[in-house]
Amino acid sequence: ELLWRTNTQSFWPMFKLWSGDSLLGYCISRHGRYQEWLEGAARDPRFAHIHWVRLAGAKQARRWLEGPTW
């Protein structure tokens, strides 16, 4: 599918974990790295002005979306 100009992407290869073009594989392989980075950023004094929200599941996400508690 043409996304813009000459950039094209095929839909199904994004879900093949063994493919180098796998979006799903990329997300799985990078999850731990980004989780560590975000936890470090939340502790960093340079980002103390940011209100960090950590949601541990769909139920918490629904409650948070219903209205901010901060």
Side-chain angles (χ1 to χ4, degrees):
E1 179 178 332
L2 182 63
L3 300 177
W4 53 82
R5 294 194 161 254
T6 59
N7 184 2
T8 59
Q9 295 290 325
S10 299
F11 181 74
W12 289 113
M14 288 189 210
F15 295 98
K16 293 179 180 176
L17 294 177
W18 59 89
S19 168
D21 295 329
S22 173
L23 178 61
L24 185 57
Y26 176 83
C27 292
I28 291 169
S29 69
R30 300 294 194 277
H31 174 75
R33 185 181 309 168
Y34 286 122
Q35 184 176 8
E36 288 174 14
W37 181 84
L38 285 170
E39 288 171 355
R43 289 188 303 271
D44 191 325
R46 294 176 298 166
F47 303 118
H49 64 284
I50 296 174
H51 178 80
W52 296 87
V53 177
R54 183 171 180 150
L55 305 171
K59 187 183 287 185
Q60 284 185 0
R62 268 193 298 279
R63 262 198 326 258
W64 185 78
L65 287 171
E66 287 171 358
T69 58
W70 38 278

